Amino acid sequence: AVRREGRGAGRLMSESESSRTAGEGCKAGAQGYLSKVLMSGQALRSAVQGSLERQNIRRETAKQNAMYEHMALHDPLTNLANRSLFEDRLSHGIDRAKRNNGKLAVLMMDLNGFKKINDTYGHDAGDAVLVEMGKRLQTCLRTTDTLARLGGDEFAILLEAIVDAADAYHVIRRVLATDDTPVNYNGAKLEIGMSVGFSVFPETTKTAEDLVQIADQAMYQAKRSHAGCAYPKGFVAPAKE
């Protein structure tokens, strides 16, 4: 017979001549076995306690594993995806786009004036800016998009299932608007700017590495020219709405 001790407790299976009953016990989640000969009150209590302890260990181990996995794939400051997770999602996104004859875009972003903020107000202020800009950027995106902090003041966005490059352009307009309001830090208003470059699969290129590289080059071009955004070769920005 299958014995249960308390709500949500572990399950114990006693000796039985029926293999069917034993099978049902295993399906029910039996985590221990007691012979009827040995089934004294003390033995039952000890078995239940041991079963619960094993269950708790498994639960805590699962929690720790999930925590370690999250830490390995997310930026500790902003809790955004890190470079490893971004690259993994980009790779899978390209595979999906190939199967569905779809498109995606990669946006690379860098904060303008970030070094000055660090030098003037300290690294705590710089961290506050990174966290706040991460939150603002997240409001520009769909739940299916990926925002990552790649390191320093560099962010990246993966836009999947877009119709064309114009979709990326409209997101960029929202991204550039995130720096309109200064970041408030201990009463100081910290001015910050944004430079953005992007690339589109499959028009710009067809590999993950090249998508990132081309978007990164466009971003530095935007930074040098103070243009806010630089487009892939051949892209014509849509007329403003």
Side-chain angles (χ1 to χ4, degrees):
V2 178
R3 296 179 178 269
R4 302 184 186 185
E5 296 291 328
R7 180 181 178 85
R11 298 175 177 85
L12 294 172
M13 189 167 62
S14 65
E15 188 177 38
S16 173
E17 294 179 358
S18 169
S19 59
R20 178 180 177 183
T21 303
E24 289 175 352
C26 291
K27 289 180 181 178
Q31 297 162 343
Y33 174 84
L34 271 179
S35 169
K36 287 182 178 180
V37 177
L38 301 175
M39 196 178 292
S40 66
Q42 180 60 43
L44 181 58
R45 283 191 294 272
S46 297
V48 170
Q49 182 178 358
S51 176
L52 290 175
E53 288 176 353
R54 290 191 295 274
Q55 193 176 53
N56 288 334
I57 289 172
R58 283 193 290 270
R59 187 181 297 114
E60 288 304 314
T61 300
K63 285 183 180 179
Q64 288 185 354
N65 289 340
M67 179 184 69
Y68 293 145
E69 182 178 2
H70 183 87
M71 291 171 62
L73 297 174
H74 292 79
D75 172 55
L77 176 63
T78 62
N79 202 36
L80 299 175
N82 62 14
R83 184 181 293 273
S84 294
L85 182 55
F86 180 81
E87 290 176 348
D88 181 69
R89 289 185 177 176
L90 175 56
S91 176
H92 284 89
I94 290 174
D95 289 340
R96 281 190 291 271
K98 288 178 178 178
R99 288 195 303 268
N100 301 322
N101 195 28
K103 301 176 187 291
L104 61 78
V106 171
L107 280 60
M108 300 293 287
M109 297 155 290
D110 189 80
L111 301 183
N112 303 328
F114 183 73
K115 184 177 183 302
K116 182 179 179 181
I117 289 173
N118 265 339
D119 292 344
T120 304
Y121 297 95
H123 290 285
D124 286 346
D127 287 349
V129 167
L130 292 171
V131 171
E132 175 61 21
M133 294 307 294
K135 292 177 180 178
R136 293 183 187 183
L137 289 171
Q138 197 74 68
T139 65
C140 303
L141 307 178
R142 305 165 298 179
T143 56
T144 54
D145 299 327
T146 297
L147 171 63
R149 181 189 173 209
L150 304 185
D153 60 340
E154 189 173 18
F155 295 84
I157 291 174
L158 170 62
L159 302 175
E160 292 195 59
I162 61 173
V163 176
D164 53 35
D167 284 349
Y169 172 74
H170 293 307
V171 173
I172 289 171
R173 285 179 59 186
R174 294 196 294 272
V175 165
L176 291 174
T178 61
D179 61 18
D180 289 348
T181 304
V183 176
N184 195 334
Y185 177 74
N186 290 343
K189 296 188 180 300
L190 309 181
E191 300 283 349
I192 198 75
M194 184 86 69
S195 295
V196 185
F198 78 102
S199 57
V200 179
F201 174 90
E203 286 92 334
T204 308
T205 185
K206 296 184 179 180
T207 69
E209 183 178 0
D210 287 345
L211 282 166
V212 171
Q213 184 178 23
I214 291 171
D216 200 49
Q217 291 171 349
M219 181 266 291
Y220 279 108
Q221 179 184 337
K223 200 174 187 72
R224 288 192 299 269
S225 62
H226 306 286
C229 176
Y231 309 122
K233 184 177 180 180
F235 176 75
V236 178
K240 290 186 178 181
E241 298 174 353

